[in-house]
PDB file of all heavy atoms in Angstrom:
ATOM      1  N   VAL A 116      37.189  46.314  36.875  1.00 95.00           N
ATOM      2  CA  VAL A 116      38.351  46.680  36.198  1.00 95.00           C
ATOM      3  C   VAL A 116      38.149  46.282  34.703  1.00 95.00           C
ATOM      4  O   VAL A 116      37.516  45.282  34.464  1.00 95.00           O
ATOM      5  CB  VAL A 116      39.634  46.207  36.769  1.00 95.00           C
ATOM      6  CG1 VAL A 116      39.928  46.690  38.190  1.00 95.00           C
ATOM      7  CG2 VAL A 116      39.710  44.624  36.732  1.00 95.00           C
ATOM      8  N   HIS A 117      38.970  47.023  33.706  1.00 95.00           N
ATOM      9  CA  HIS A 117      38.865  46.424  32.408  1.00 95.00           C
ATOM     10  C   HIS A 117      39.662  45.249  32.377  1.00 95.00           C
ATOM     11  O   HIS A 117      40.728  45.055  32.919  1.00 95.00           O
ATOM     12  CB  HIS A 117      39.692  47.599  31.625  1.00 95.00           C
ATOM     13  CG  HIS A 117      38.921  48.971  31.437  1.00 95.00           C
ATOM     14  ND1 HIS A 117      37.725  48.955  30.682  1.00 95.00           N
ATOM     15  CD2 HIS A 117      38.997  50.083  32.202  1.00 95.00           C
ATOM     16  CE1 HIS A 117      37.255  50.240  30.797  1.00 95.00           C
ATOM     17  NE2 HIS A 117      38.117  50.906  31.660  1.00 95.00           N
ATOM     18  N   THR A 118      39.081  44.325  31.672  1.00 92.00           N
ATOM     19  CA  THR A 118      39.494  42.897  31.654  1.00 92.00           C
ATOM     20  C   THR A 118      39.571  42.438  30.059  1.00 92.00           C
ATOM     21  O   THR A 118      38.686  42.786  29.328  1.00 92.00           O
ATOM     22  CB  THR A 118      38.609  42.069  32.456  1.00 92.00           C
ATOM     23  OG1 THR A 118      38.331  42.585  33.619  1.00 92.00           O
ATOM     24  CG2 THR A 118      39.076  40.681  32.561  1.00 92.00           C
ATOM     25  N   PRO A 124      33.332  41.083  24.913  1.00 91.00           N
ATOM     26  CA  PRO A 124      33.841  42.249  25.305  1.00 91.00           C
ATOM     27  C   PRO A 124      34.090  42.338  26.868  1.00 91.00           C
ATOM     28  O   PRO A 124      33.765  41.371  27.640  1.00 91.00           O
ATOM     29  CB  PRO A 124      32.862  43.414  24.999  1.00 91.00           C
ATOM     30  CG  PRO A 124      31.474  42.633  24.925  1.00 91.00           C
ATOM     31  CD  PRO A 124      31.836  41.113  24.659  1.00 91.00           C
ATOM     32  N   CYS A 125      34.807  43.460  27.402  1.00 92.00           N
ATOM     33  CA  CYS A 125      35.114  43.779  28.804  1.00 92.00           C
ATOM     34  C   CYS A 125      33.947  43.439  29.843  1.00 92.00           C
ATOM     35  O   CYS A 125      34.002  42.576  30.462  1.00 92.00           O
ATOM     36  CB  CYS A 125      35.826  44.954  28.747  1.00 92.00           C
ATOM     37  SG  CYS A 125      36.396  45.706  30.275  1.00 92.00           S
ATOM     38  N   HIS A 126      33.153  44.439  29.731  1.00 89.00           N
ATOM     39  CA  HIS A 126      32.038  44.462  30.834  1.00 89.00           C
ATOM     40  C   HIS A 126      30.843  45.027  30.006  1.00 89.00           C
ATOM     41  O   HIS A 126      30.413  46.107  30.267  1.00 89.00           O
ATOM     42  CB  HIS A 126      32.405  45.411  31.958  1.00 89.00           C
ATOM     43  CG  HIS A 126      33.236  44.828  33.106  1.00 89.00           C
ATOM     44  ND1 HIS A 126      32.784  44.049  33.955  1.00 89.00           N
ATOM     45  CD2 HIS A 126      34.512  44.966  33.220  1.00 89.00           C
ATOM     46  CE1 HIS A 126      33.781  43.697  34.690  1.00 89.00           C
ATOM     47  NE2 HIS A 126      34.826  44.303  34.314  1.00 89.00           N
ATOM     48  N   SER A 141      30.001  50.155  32.330  1.00 92.00           N
ATOM     49  CA  SER A 141      30.017  49.138  31.343  1.00 92.00           C
ATOM     50  C   SER A 141      31.189  49.512  30.351  1.00 92.00           C
ATOM     51  O   SER A 141      31.521  50.660  30.250  1.00 92.00           O
ATOM     52  CB  SER A 141      28.612  49.258  30.619  1.00 92.00           C
ATOM     53  OG  SER A 141      28.780  48.939  29.192  1.00 92.00           O
ATOM     54  N   CYS A 142      31.705  48.456  29.690  1.00 93.00           N
ATOM     55  CA  CYS A 142      32.775  48.745  28.676  1.00 93.00           C
ATOM     56  C   CYS A 142      32.710  47.609  27.706  1.00 93.00           C
ATOM     57  O   CYS A 142      32.736  46.435  27.908  1.00 93.00           O
ATOM     58  CB  CYS A 142      34.090  48.657  29.331  1.00 93.00           C
ATOM     59  SG  CYS A 142      35.541  48.658  28.165  1.00 93.00           S
ATOM     60  N   THR A 143      32.263  48.090  26.448  1.00 91.00           N
ATOM     61  CA  THR A 143      32.146  47.052  25.371  1.00 91.00           C
ATOM     62  C   THR A 143      33.239  46.675  24.558  1.00 91.00           C
ATOM     63  O   THR A 143      33.345  46.013  23.552  1.00 91.00           O
ATOM     64  CB  THR A 143      30.942  47.559  24.521  1.00 91.00           C
ATOM     65  OG1 THR A 143      31.357  48.860  24.072  1.00 91.00           O
ATOM     66  CG2 THR A 143      29.648  47.563  25.153  1.00 91.00           C
ATOM     67  N   ALA A 144      34.534  47.328  24.979  1.00 91.00           N
ATOM     68  CA  ALA A 144      35.682  47.200  24.205  1.00 91.00           C
ATOM     69  C   ALA A 144      36.144  45.755  24.307  1.00 91.00           C
ATOM     70  O   ALA A 144      35.955  45.007  25.289  1.00 91.00           O
ATOM     71  CB  ALA A 144      36.829  48.081  24.655  1.00 91.00           C
ATOM     72  N   LYS A 145      36.721  45.149  23.095  1.00 92.00           N
ATOM     73  CA  LYS A 145      37.486  43.932  23.349  1.00 92.00           C
ATOM     74  C   LYS A 145      39.031  44.270  23.327  1.00 92.00           C
ATOM     75  O   LYS A 145      39.714  44.685  22.445  1.00 92.00           O
ATOM     76  CB  LYS A 145      37.254  43.158  22.035  1.00 92.00           C
ATOM     77  CG  LYS A 145      36.026  42.293  22.098  1.00 92.00           C
ATOM     78  CD  LYS A 145      35.909  41.200  21.057  1.00 92.00           C
ATOM     79  CE  LYS A 145      36.485  39.857  21.579  1.00 92.00           C
ATOM     80  NZ  LYS A 145      36.459  38.780  20.673  1.00 92.00           N
ATOM     81  N   HIS A 146      39.496  44.466  24.559  1.00 92.00           N
ATOM     82  CA  HIS A 146      40.867  44.874  24.842  1.00 92.00           C
ATOM     83  C   HIS A 146      41.917  44.072  24.234  1.00 92.00           C
ATOM     84  O   HIS A 146      41.876  42.898  24.390  1.00 92.00           O
ATOM     85  CB  HIS A 146      41.097  45.058  26.202  1.00 92.00           C
ATOM     86  CG  HIS A 146      40.156  46.081  26.957  1.00 92.00           C
ATOM     87  ND1 HIS A 146      40.242  47.472  26.781  1.00 92.00           N
ATOM     88  CD2 HIS A 146      39.212  45.845  27.831  1.00 92.00           C
ATOM     89  CE1 HIS A 146      39.316  47.969  27.459  1.00 92.00           C
ATOM     90  NE2 HIS A 146      38.625  47.066  28.167  1.00 92.00           N
ATOM     91  N   ARG A 152      44.817  50.156  29.426  1.00 90.00           N
ATOM     92  CA  ARG A 152      43.649  50.255  30.422  1.00 90.00           C
ATOM     93  C   ARG A 152      43.491  49.033  31.138  1.00 90.00           C
ATOM     94  O   ARG A 152      42.589  48.940  32.249  1.00 90.00           O
ATOM     95  CB  ARG A 152      42.386  50.666  29.580  1.00 90.00           C
ATOM     96  CG  ARG A 152      42.333  52.094  29.136  1.00 90.00           C
ATOM     97  CD  ARG A 152      41.179  52.384  28.423  1.00 90.00           C
ATOM     98  NE  ARG A 152      41.104  51.536  27.166  1.00 90.00           N
ATOM     99  CZ  ARG A 152      40.070  51.536  26.420  1.00 90.00           C
ATOM    100  NH1 ARG A 152      38.867  52.180  26.656  1.00 90.00           N
ATOM    101  NH2 ARG A 152      40.080  50.809  25.204  1.00 90.00           N
ATOM    102  N   LEU A 153      44.055  47.764  30.673  1.00 91.00           N
ATOM    103  CA  LEU A 153      43.746  46.615  31.364  1.00 91.00           C
ATOM    104  C   LEU A 153      44.073  46.699  32.812  1.00 91.00           C
ATOM    105  O   LEU A 153      45.169  47.098  33.157  1.00 91.00           O
ATOM    106  CB  LEU A 153      44.525  45.398  30.720  1.00 91.00           C
ATOM    107  CG  LEU A 153      44.004  45.062  29.395  1.00 91.00           C
ATOM    108  CD1 LEU A 153      44.915  43.992  28.708  1.00 91.00           C
ATOM    109  CD2 LEU A 153      42.611  44.442  29.383  1.00 91.00           C
ATOM    110  N   LEU A 157      36.950  50.745  36.099  1.00 95.00           N
ATOM    111  CA  LEU A 157      35.989  51.465  35.224  1.00 95.00           C
ATOM    112  C   LEU A 157      35.718  52.745  35.816  1.00 95.00           C
ATOM    113  O   LEU A 157      35.694  53.845  35.183  1.00 95.00           O
ATOM    114  CB  LEU A 157      34.555  50.666  35.218  1.00 95.00           C
ATOM    115  CG  LEU A 157      34.498  49.779  33.947  1.00 95.00           C
ATOM    116  CD1 LEU A 157      35.644  48.667  33.904  1.00 95.00           C
ATOM    117  CD2 LEU A 157      33.159  49.035  33.998  1.00 95.00           C
TER     118      LEU A 157
HETATM  119 ZN1   ZN B 502      37.168  47.611  29.346  1.00 93.21          ZN
END
Side-chain angles (χ1 to χ4, degrees):
V116 296
H117 291 285
T118 310
C125 172
H126 278 278
S141 150
C142 171
T143 52
K145 277 194 90 174
H146 297 291
R152 283 178 297 170
L153 284 173
L157 266 53

